[in-house]
Amino acid sequence: MTTIQFRYSILLACILCCSSCKKFLAIPPPETQLESLTLFSNSSAAVSAAMGLYSQMMQSSLSVSNGAATLYPALSADELYNTAANADYDAFRSNNIQFASSTGLTRLWTFSYRNIYHANAVMEGLNASASIPDSLKKQLRGEMLVVRGFHYLCLLRLFGDVPLITSTSYSINQSMPRTATTEVYNQVETDLKEAYNLLGFAYTAGARTRPDHFTAAALLARLCIYRQNWPLAAQYASEVISSNRYALNPVLNNVFLSASNETIWQLSPVSTTVNTAEGNLFIPSSATTRPVMALTSWLLDAFEPGDQRKTSWLKTNTVGGQPYAYPYKYKVRTGAPPYSEMYVVIRLAELYLIRAEANLQLNNLTAAAADINAIRNRAGLPNTAYTTQPALLTALMQERRIELMFEWGHRWSDLKRTGTADAVLQTIKAPGWQPADTLYPIQQYELDTNPFLIQNPGY
Amino acid sequence: MKQLILCLALLYPILTSCQPITIKGSVINEEGTPLAGATISIKQSGKSTLADSKGNFTITNTRLNDTLIVTAIGYQTATVPNNERGLISITLRRKITQLDETIIIAYGTTTKRFNTGSITKITTAEISNQPVSNPLATLHGRVPGLLVTQSSGVTGSAVSIQLRGQSSLDPLLSRNDPLFIIDGVPFESGNIPSNQLSSAAVNPYQVAGTSPGGLSPLSSINPADIESIEVLKDADATAIYGSRGANGVILITTRKGKAGKAKLTLNISNGFSRPSSSMPMLNTAQYLLMRREAFANDGLLPNTSNAPDLLLWDTSRYTNLQKLLTGNTARTTNWQASLSAGSPGTQFLLGMAYFNQTNVFPGSQPYQRYSSHINLRHKPASARWDLQFSAIFSADDNKLLRTDLSKYFGLPPNIKLTGPGGELVWQEAGISYSSLGFFNPLAELLQPYEARNNNLSASLVLGIRISKNWNLRVSTGYNNLTTNEKSTQPKASLAPENTTLASSQLATALRSNWMAEPQLEYNGAFAKGKLQMLLGAAFQQRQEQLTSIQATGYSNDLLLNALSAAAAVTASNNSEQYNYQAVFARLNYNFGSKYILNLSGRRDGSSRFGPARRFANFAAAGAAWILSEETFFKNSLPFISFAKLRASYGVTGNDQLGNYRYLDLWLSTTNPYTAVPGLRPSSLFNPYLEWEKNNKFETALELSFCGNRIMFSPAFYIHRSSNQLISYRLPNQTGFASVTKNLPALVQNKGWEFQLTATALETKNWSWKLSANATLPSNKLLSFPGLETSSYNAIYTIGQSLSVIRKMKYTGIDPATGLYTYEDYNKDGSISTPGDLQVLGNLDPVCYGGISSGLQYSGWSVDIFFDYNIQKGTNYLAYQYLNPAGFMYNQPLLVMNRWQQPGKQSAVQRFGATAASPVFTASSRLLASDAIYSDASFIRFKNLALGYDLPASVLAKGKISSCRFYIQAQNIYTFTRYKGTDPETKSFYQLPTLRTVLAGIQLTF
């Protein structure tokens, strides 16, 4: 090889090296993840995207959809108290929430919006997809609308006006101010009504672990009593009750079993060791251990004599001579799959109480009394003795208080929506109680990162 | 005839030596530059003259046998015999001073004299004097502009490195790490913690201003294998690394073999370590006093629910948790062997080492590292090519606990930890520790964590000489870091009431990286100057595969290491790829050894950006003027032996964001839902990501006095980073807490750096060298469009530093109520944020650096080193925001200076017992106030190295060519007024840096 050839061959090698730059940089997407466009061109992947939301809802113990929406309002109201000092629980129990940083607020707020984003992302993916069959699109969209609506119902009841997020665009969402409660309710109503029309009448996966048409109807009924739309509340509740798909479980101990026919929608646990986060938190490890949460004397005193719910849904441990009654609706503390208990989101008993309340407000007293009695009789109590509208209303709220105790914060919401929170809590929760405590504060981080968010009054 | 000529030749000098002759000549240096002002004298007659501006001189009346002595400042004296032709050219060689030592730069070498960029070199001597296992830890205080912070005293823990200030807005979300290059190959793991699982190296409580911790990937490199570390700072030095030079470049060069007789070096040392500082805590008597006073203050009676520690527990028990949990002495063993040999054509070096260091936690958790190193150079005598190969391989095994036990210093000192038989205790008097949020720290000893790293880094450089001026060089390299982690939690280590079953976690990370860089080099003359050109291309691919496995429900603690014995196993994995491509060029022109111009540019492409925004251009210019080569300078300032003025300006970039951030990706959920696999959005995505650009300007003066005995260099720099790539904080209502995006904010880092080295004494037996450096940084947010409506509105203020303290002003303790008070800044009658936030200074270091002294007397040497940092830092009050003094947690002894009765002045508010107490509200505001910051300045006696070399006369009889005994100590004493444990880690519940003393012997055969 002459020197000239040698030099040219080197130059050629250099040129070859420098070509095809763009190709070298075009790398495939990561093997273990799916690009949105690819995902929503495949039906089973799209189903997985929706299933992922349920899995996420049950992934973190005591996130909003897995215990927090029960626990914190129960502490803030008059249902439960924590038996040992705990800064997070103490703050909610004493209605003195430090919004600078609060585990409870993170569990309620952050996880709600994480799930809402997920639902929005699935819906946007479905909208953009050309290859997923319409029937599946409708089904999944309906389910996502139910989940989104459900989360907004939780948020509204805890925080008042909240930002209404209906897309995945962070550039829009990051500066979204609070939306008026009415407007959020309107959105929830629209969502649930759409889902009501989109969703089929059969459970997609046997165990009622995904919402269907009647789930939408049941949540619409719940929404309607919050909006005091009594006729519609009665209508939706009736539809569910008279569908004959569900029945009040005659055995109180079986109401929360995963096979219970009373359940309208339940979330399947995903943990390999725990069924429900509530069962795991509330039930102490042994008969001699002090439970973490115990019933307040106010709730214990509210039971009528002979109420079987006091024996079926409560249990007592005596530690150091002091009895501690603890929630025992869920009876499984630990357990591997198959799960004997799942996390019930909405069940038929609530629908009876909703219809009763609607009928009372509409002055259909007999029908209302019948529904109240259905619940009372199941609990081993006689028919209600009251006949007048105000008396029956009081009886109804009492029934809600016991039947739905430490379940999704119903007591806390009922006190607020009936305007009785102040009257009830002022005396028993003194001196910490202030009227403004009915709404939880927004965490400092959220206020800092979104200057358009305004703190709730009183914080 | 031949004889006659020989005769004449012999006679000729005798004949001519008597005749006076005139010598004409010139004096030049090695680059051919005339040396004006050089002195030429005749040894015999003492006659002398000076060279003129062109280096020419004439001396008359000399004799043939005379000897010329030529001297010039900064050059070696030349002795030249007279030449009969009377016209001679004399080349003077530079004195080999610090100025002419080789400095490694990007794709080449230079000297301090001709360097146009800002580079600090750390030599092997400075590295080997320090008994540390992580090479980054050797840089503490030694490089102006480089702030090195140890995250914890746990072996193998991360060391954070920040060059010339924070440029990124959110240091917790975005990384600001320099690029690390080992023998030309990017060390892609960089300084990002290598662990996936949590361990004792992770900071248990992260409060603003403390490091998150983790395991450092660089600790797998044996510092003894390092020849030098060069820190490249300005645009001129780093722009050729284009995209990745924005935060500086750290070049690590490994040791090389030398030609000559085979040399075997053995180095053995042993030592021990203890925590360098501690914070006295309350003993039981003081603790009980605090608790009872708290209840009295709140007007509450202690009951079994709120005060089991007072009523149900043994109040005469006392455990000094600090002593129990971190009181062990850690042991260090270090064995090194290396063999170096070679001929002029081939040289090699082989090294092997073993390092073992235990922890200060109870029990033995050794960190062990086996490392080997090979370096080979081959250049056949008459061939056009040469080859250089180097590889380091290390296997380390870091056995730790899962949690830093310092986390538990806050447990009540009368807590019962063990029963009469030494068994773990989980409750006392029916009150389980878990119901109080406590955990028995001794159970942590049963939860081991282990990280094993295998690190291979190899490079091969093939050089081909194409012609006299042109060279081709092809560098190829590969590195691979494999991390295997294992963490187990046996049932015996868990509270009996805990539902969690015995579990284990396994994690594997495979990170590999290959690169190839063909380069074409030209070296030649151009218009009376020296021209160097470099053209090159770079290809690089990085792959990362992460797997993690969680297994729970082991029925038997003995089977914890067998996955098949677990009731449930969940696994996740992730795989990422990063491709990178560049072309680059550099042009260096040196005119007359006085004026040097250096231009560099690079076009980069990175797969981390979307297809439309992958490429970007970066360039820099540097120039230097060696003033001391100018005649006017030599005449007017003869005491300055060297002076150089240099300046550089350029643009560098940053692509340190995660991979695939421009794609909308979904990943698998941890668990399926009703047996159907689930998917979830992995993060917010941004298809519009583009390169971050950093503009850097620097100017510096380099001066040497008294024949280079004193060297002083002030430097001034301004770095401005714009279009920042950051993890932008978002309110959670967006679904996530951050998104990666470009932010048009402009951040400026400006500062002065000073470096002084002096040879105080230099005689046959004595040598004393001193050096000091100082950095005075300043950081400012110049602009941030839309700050007021952005998620950073409550954190940053335009015109202030990024570490601005925007908090409520702490106004001391109200003498009447005994509570912490804060200024009502907006005078609205209530203390609230953000209305009461105000700018109260910043957390940037005011000044930092180091001071060193090296004294040698015949075989003895004493090296000492101090580092210092004038700064503010997070103090112990930061940990009181949730557990105020008086609650069921132990506190530092400092809290005894609390408010007791109206009118009392104190540093800590009155004790309070429960969350209903006003004490709780007052202290929950601490974190939002400036009370948690106080002076954290320190001067640390960082390093002491004593050595003694046996004199050659003693060794002469044996085969040993040198024998050295040494003692080294690290973190010896810290002078500080800091209210906390360690002003460096600034974390109260984290193991402080360790004080280490080590003794050893080094033998060379």
Side-chain angles (χ1 to χ4, degrees), chain A residues 7 17 21 24 32 34 36 39 48 55 59 83-84 98 173 176 209 268 280 285 333-334 444-446 448-449, chain B residues 305 435 466-467 497 499 539 574 579 581 663-664 666 671 673 677 679 730-733 737 791 793 833 924:
Chain A
R7 286 180 195 172
C17 280
C21 299
F24 183 71
T32 56
L34 273 179
S36 182
L39 195 171
S48 284
S55 175
Q59 180 64 40
T83 59
Q98 298 303 319
N173 296 341
M176 183 82 81
T209 48
S268 167
N280 191 251
S285 58
R333 177 174 156 79
T334 57
Q444 189 64 49
Y445 175 84
E446 311 298 333
D448 287 349
T449 47
Chain B
S305 181
S435 71
I466 304 170
S467 71
E497 68 273 17
T499 56
F539 297 86
N574 190 20
N579 282 15
Q581 205 276 320
L663 288 177
D664 183 7
W666 291 64
N671 291 300
Y673 185 72
L679 289 169
L730 287 175
N732 283 300
Q733 67 192 54
S791 62
N793 70 87
T833 57
S924 70

Side-chain angles (χ1 to χ4, degrees), chain B residues 781-807:
Chain B
L781 178 63
L782 291 183
S783 76
F784 188 138
L787 173 65
E788 287 315 304
T789 55
S790 83
S791 62
Y792 291 96
N793 70 87
I795 302 181
Y796 299 126
T797 306
I798 289 172
Q800 296 288 334
S801 161
L802 291 184
S803 69
V804 62
I805 302 174
R806 224 179 114 183
K807 300 264 182 185

Side-chain angles (χ1 to χ4, degrees), chain A residues 106-286:
Chain A
T106 301
R107 286 168 168 172
L108 295 168
W109 178 278
T110 307
F111 281 87
S112 290
Y113 279 107
R114 198 171 294 176
N115 295 339
I116 288 168
Y117 177 90
H118 192 145
N120 287 334
V122 173
M123 288 191 277
E124 286 176 12
L126 290 170
N127 278 348
S129 170
S131 48
I132 293 179
D134 257 12
S135 57
L136 182 63
K137 269 191 183 178
K138 280 182 182 168
Q139 155 96 39
L140 296 179
R141 177 171 171 81
E143 290 185 35
M144 294 300 104
L145 287 170
V146 168
V147 174
R148 188 169 81 181
F150 164 76
H151 277 100
Y152 277 118
L153 278 183
C154 281
L155 284 170
L156 285 171
R157 295 191 299 174
L158 301 172
F159 295 95
D161 298 350
V162 290
L164 177 60
I165 306 289
T166 53
S167 81
T168 59
S169 164
Y170 72 86
S171 49
I172 298 170
N173 296 341
Q174 64 174 332
S175 51
M176 183 82 81
R178 286 161 162 245
T179 312
T181 301
T182 344
E183 207 178 310
V184 184
Y185 269 135
N186 286 341
Q187 181 69 46
V188 174
E189 193 169 338
T190 316
D191 285 355
L192 290 175
K193 276 183 176 163
E194 190 186 345
Y196 177 86
N197 291 323
L198 287 173
L199 286 172
F201 293 84
Y203 284 100
T204 320
R208 308 176 179 190
T209 48
R210 292 166 66 180
D212 72 346
H213 169 83
F214 293 107
T215 313
L219 288 173
L220 274 168
R222 188 189 277 180
L223 170 75
C224 288
I225 61 161
Y226 282 95
R227 305 201 81 181
Q228 307 193 339
N229 186 342
W230 312 115
L232 217 49
Q235 184 195 315
Y236 285 123
S238 283
E239 186 191 341
V240 178
I241 294 167
S242 56
S243 71
N244 285 327
R245 292 168 166 267
Y246 317 95
L248 290 179
N249 199 319
V251 184
L252 284 173
N253 279 329
N254 296 347
V255 169
F256 292 87
L257 290 182
S258 52
S260 171
N261 200 27
E262 187 173 331
T263 303
I264 295 169
W265 177 28
Q266 61 188 349
L267 288 164
S268 167
V270 295
S271 159
T272 50
T273 53
V274 170
N275 280 7
T276 62
E278 282 184 23
N280 191 251
L281 174 74
F282 293 147
I283 304 169
S285 58
S286 76

